Amino acid sequence: MSTNTVDNKRKVTTARLLDMKQRGEKIAMLTAYDYSMAKLIDEAGIDVILVGDSASNVMAGNMTTLPMTLDQMIYHAKSVVKGTERALVVCDMPFGTYQGNPIEALASAIRIMKESHAEAVKMEGGAEIRESIERILSAGIPVMGHLGLTPQSINKFGTYAVRAKEEREAEKLIADARMLEEIGCFAIVLEKIPAALAARVSKEVSIPTIGIGAGNGTDGQVLVMHDMLGINKGFSPKFLRRYADLSTIINEAVGHYIDDVKSSDFPNENEQY
Ligand code: KIV
């Protein structure tokens, strides 16, 4: 359980996140994709659970997030919602379900909200998807923006390197962040951009910014749960801090179990009927 016990039980809402920014309280966000892990991180006091399309990498073993479907995201989000009492649950809109046109975007977002009971959606991109975001917002669905490194555009970027190091891209990112604020997004994820730029955006917009690989000047942080718990050891970017080494713990526990089965030590007489 987090040491911050203030308001630990009260439901997190988009309004509460805004209030946290205004009071200078940092927002802690993690990804989850299933009931059991969502329950654990919710009980630990996480503020926001993102049902990320990173499920494509860490749950399905794909190289990119692009293969994720709407049905798959809804399945994950539905499981997470069942395990969550306090955190705000945000579900990623998967690639290909909102970029085409605003009508299709709205239909996709409505399916997520109706079928999974997530409380908000997240969408990657700025000016290019403005109309889709506006359409979704007009239906009363809260939208979290996502700027900087947007993994659904990996085939355009060709690399997962830091974005917006050049002035032109940085200026576009600032303009996109202002636009997302203006049209009514409740928060913005800033992924893998220079810390100084993320800090500047965080000062210039009134809505919370949540960083990943974007330094300490954002209003909150997000990490992929499998990365920070050391389940997924093959991924070690500079920005990642590992809070546990679950892959070693799981490997040792499973090895122990195998030994006990092979040696007929398990089950013993107290472990049978
Ligand atoms: O899909 C995801 O997990 C994300 C986070 C990395 C922000 O978008």
Side-chain angles (χ1 to χ4, degrees):
M1 177 64 91
S2 137
T3 46
N4 177 10
T5 49
V6 183
D7 274 345
N8 250 350
K9 292 268 175 242
R10 195 157 60 89
K11 178 78 188 141
V12 179
T13 60
T14 56
R16 190 159 164 205
L17 295 180
L18 182 60
D19 180 57
M20 286 169 80
K21 171 164 179 142
Q22 286 163 354
R23 287 185 296 102
E25 180 185 342
K26 293 266 185 170
I27 297 163
M29 174 161 122
L30 275 179
T31 66
Y33 317 97
D34 68 277
Y35 167 81
S36 301
M37 294 306 280
K39 191 161 169 26
L40 286 173
I41 66 173
D42 187 58
E43 285 169 358
I46 201 74
D47 297 312
V48 184
I49 299 182
L50 171 66
V51 186
D53 59 359
S54 49
S56 184
N57 309 104
V58 297
M59 300 299 287
N62 295 316
M63 292 297 288
T64 73
T65 57
L66 273 64
M68 237 28 214
T69 67
L70 196 53
D71 285 339
Q72 288 167 336
M73 289 307 299
I74 290 170
Y75 165 81
H76 286 296
K78 209 167 166 175
S79 312
V80 166
V81 166
K82 284 188 196 145
T84 307
E85 283 181 20
R86 176 185 173 274
L88 180 82
V89 178
V90 181
C91 180
D92 255 337
M93 294 193 65
F95 176 68
T97 65
Y98 61 96
Q99 294 92 343
N101 65 68
I103 307 286
E104 193 190 350
L106 178 60
S108 306
I110 286 179
R111 273 202 65 201
I112 289 175
M113 303 301 281
K114 256 188 190 301
E115 296 177 38
S116 76
H117 298 175
E119 294 151 314
V121 297
K122 176 165 82 59
M123 301 165 72
E124 294 183 8
E128 318 75 33
I129 57 159
R130 176 179 179 144
E131 286 172 17
S132 290
I133 299 176
E134 283 179 317
R135 195 61 175 242
I136 292 170
L137 288 167
S138 74
I141 299 172
V143 176
M144 175 181 272
H146 184 155
L147 301 173
L149 176 64
T150 47
Q152 292 178 10
S153 303
I154 182 60
N155 292 311
K156 180 173 124 193
F157 298 146
T159 161
Y160 288 104
V162 178
R163 304 302 314 175
K165 279 162 75 176
E166 314 296 330
E167 201 178 321
R168 236 175 71 194
E169 195 180 338
E171 289 307 324
K172 173 173 172 3
L173 189 141
I174 293 166
D176 281 341
R178 288 203 187 111
M179 179 277 290
L180 293 176
E181 172 192 28
E182 186 193 310
I183 65 176
C185 288
F186 73 92
I188 309 171
V189 165
L190 297 174
E191 179 163 356
K192 230 172 165 188
I193 60 170
L197 175 61
R200 180 174 163 198
V201 171
S202 306
K203 282 209 182 78
E204 287 190 15
V205 298
S206 61
I207 55 175
T209 58
I210 317 275
I212 173 164
N216 207 2
T218 52
D219 303 303
Q221 297 293 329
V222 57
L223 285 175
V224 169
M225 187 181 53
H226 288 60
D227 300 338
M228 61 85 76
L229 290 181
I231 298 173
N232 175 25
K233 273 194 141 169
F235 182 66
S236 5
K238 181 179 174 185
F239 69 76
L240 176 63
R241 187 179 294 181
R242 280 199 211 290
Y243 288 83
D245 182 7
L246 289 199
S247 72
T248 303
I249 290 173
I250 291 170
N251 192 278
E252 285 174 2
V254 173
H256 199 164
Y257 166 72
I258 294 169
D259 290 346
D260 287 354
V261 170
K262 302 272 182 199
S263 65
S264 292
D265 181 76
F266 176 78
N268 64 27
E269 69 243 22
N270 296 322
E271 294 162 331
Q272 63 189 18
Y273 299 99

